[in-house]
Amino acid sequence: MTDENLIQQAAAILRLAHHLAVLTGAGVSKESGVPTFRDAQEGLWAKYNAEELATPMAFERSPKLVWDWYEYRRELVRQAKPNPGHVALAHLGQYFPALRVITQNVDDLHEQAGSHNVIHLHGNLARSKCSANCQGDPTLIDVARLTLDSDEVPPRCPHCGAYVRPDVVWFHEILPADAIQDATLVARLCDVMLVVGTSGLVHPAASLPQIAKQRGAKIIEVNPVDSAITPLADIKLDGPSGLIIPQLVEALEANA
Ligand code: BV8
């Protein structure tokens, strides 16, 4: 577990920051009850690998299975509440008005905790779209307003009849241009990047700390274990974000 001295060192780096950026992954939502990507899936999904389900090929092959997996995850997120890590990150916005949170997560727990202008690299689980984007990219569909034919799963697009799908970025799909452009600019301009709860395995998100580092930024990582980002970190805070981030904000405030 992280010692107090490292927390103080990290707070000292934050205190000198002019442009703070935050990059989060599934680990920041773990303490809210949302499983990470590399956790063994719960129950029914134990026999599936998330990376095999989160692809256009899987949806093509088994649209109902993939739709049901996302409905299962939507229910988990509906029941989830922001944890102290989300809340402390939102609180940081008071000290860094230009703070941008860049997340790989598809839940809205950062927004629920009070973070603004969150950059969602991989889309948003709460939104659905026509899988053919028949009215333009994205053709968002409000599934709640569809007269659902109970045995038609996934539901069909009311415009063109194609299957409706979650508005998330699957593996082998390109990220929304505005999201990756914003995130890359934020990574280039920041002088400190706080990296929280990511294995650092999924690209291009995982390249953002490297971009920041190359521009001279300090990297502070929060994760109970080491990750692909750890070699880049100036300070590694070992522990769950729900515990560590509040400690970091408390140390920052103690000498504010
Ligand atoms: C693309 C939405 C161009 C869906 C997701 C370059 C190099 C290598 C590979 C590639 C590359 N470029 C492209 C690729 C291929 C691929 C890729 O990166 N593959 C990897 C696996 C090798 N990337 C893509 O396909 C991307 N598209 O590049 O387009 C293109 C287009 C066509 C053809 C070629 C190229 C699209 C990637 C987006 C995939 N969609 N999510 C959904 O959610 O269902 S990614 C998915 O993984 C989630 O968003 C998740 O957030 C993300 C990353 O995982 P993490 O967030 O890090 O979560 P993970 O479980 O891995 O780790 C959790 C961490 O938390 C752990 O470290 C753990 O220790 C820690 N933790 C646990 N508890 C806590 C904690 N931390 C803090 N507190 C705790 N309590």
Side-chain angles (χ1 to χ4, degrees):
M1 194 59 78
T2 286
D3 65 60
E4 181 54 27
N5 183 34
L6 276 178
I7 294 273
Q8 291 300 334
Q9 283 179 39
I13 289 176
L14 284 184
R15 213 166 290 120
L16 297 175
H18 297 286
H19 298 285
L20 174 64
V22 175
L23 172 68
T24 66
V28 79
S29 296
K30 177 89 178 284
E31 291 155 270
S32 296
V34 180
T36 66
F37 246 61
R38 283 157 189 81
D39 275 338
Q41 295 284 357
E42 318 289 325
L44 172 65
W45 305 104
K47 60 178 182 291
Y48 297 103
N49 171 329
E51 278 161 28
E52 285 160 11
L53 284 169
T55 69
M57 292 68 83
F59 188 67
E60 184 79 25
R61 188 175 54 243
S62 318
K64 182 179 183 315
L65 174 72
V66 173
W67 178 263
D68 286 345
W69 182 54
Y70 280 94
E71 284 295 282
Y72 158 72
R73 289 174 60 194
R74 283 185 178 121
E75 187 49 35
L76 286 180
V77 170
R78 266 193 287 268
Q79 290 168 20
K81 289 277 169 285
N83 65 62
H86 292 109
V87 174
L89 285 174
H91 194 54
L92 271 180
Q94 294 180 18
Y95 296 96
F96 300 95
L99 168 63
R100 296 302 295 273
V101 175
I102 305 164
T103 190
Q104 301 171 81
N105 300 340
V106 292
D107 61 53
D108 63 346
L109 295 173
H110 282 304
E111 290 89 343
Q112 286 189 43
S115 288
H116 303 293
N117 299 326
V118 176
I119 299 173
H120 277 272
L121 294 174
H122 298 155
N124 187 326
L125 198 54
R127 287 198 308 260
S128 296
K129 66 181 182 180
C130 166
S131 55
N133 277 328
C134 63
Q135 310 293 311
D137 184 3
T139 298
L140 296 180
I141 304 287
D142 182 352
V143 174
R145 296 181 55 182
L146 293 180
T147 44
L148 289 183
D149 174 350
S150 57
D151 50 18
E152 180 75 88
V153 176
R156 295 277 181 178
C157 169
H159 308 292
C160 74
Y163 280 131
V164 174
R165 57 164 281 184
D167 185 25
V168 298
V169 180
W170 281 331
F171 290 97
H172 311 290
E173 291 188 321
I174 54 172
L175 277 60
D178 55 346
I180 193 63
Q181 280 161 15
D182 286 356
T184 305
L185 187 60
V186 167
R188 284 209 179 106
L189 295 178
C190 72
D191 50 5
V192 178
M193 181 177 276
L194 182 58
V195 182
V196 186
T198 181
S199 57
L201 295 175
V202 173
H203 288 267
S207 59
L208 294 169
Q210 180 68 42
I211 291 170
K213 186 92 180 172
Q214 277 163 351
R215 313 284 289 206
K218 296 276 189 203
I219 307 295
I220 300 169
E221 183 185 20
V222 178
N223 194 320
V225 300
D226 285 357
S227 75
I229 306 295
T230 306
L232 293 175
D234 295 279
I235 293 191
K236 169 72 176 7
L237 302 175
D238 291 319
S241 48
L243 175 73
I244 300 292
I245 305 286
Q247 288 176 343
L248 188 52
V249 173
E250 199 180 315
L252 178 70
E253 289 179 328
N255 299 285

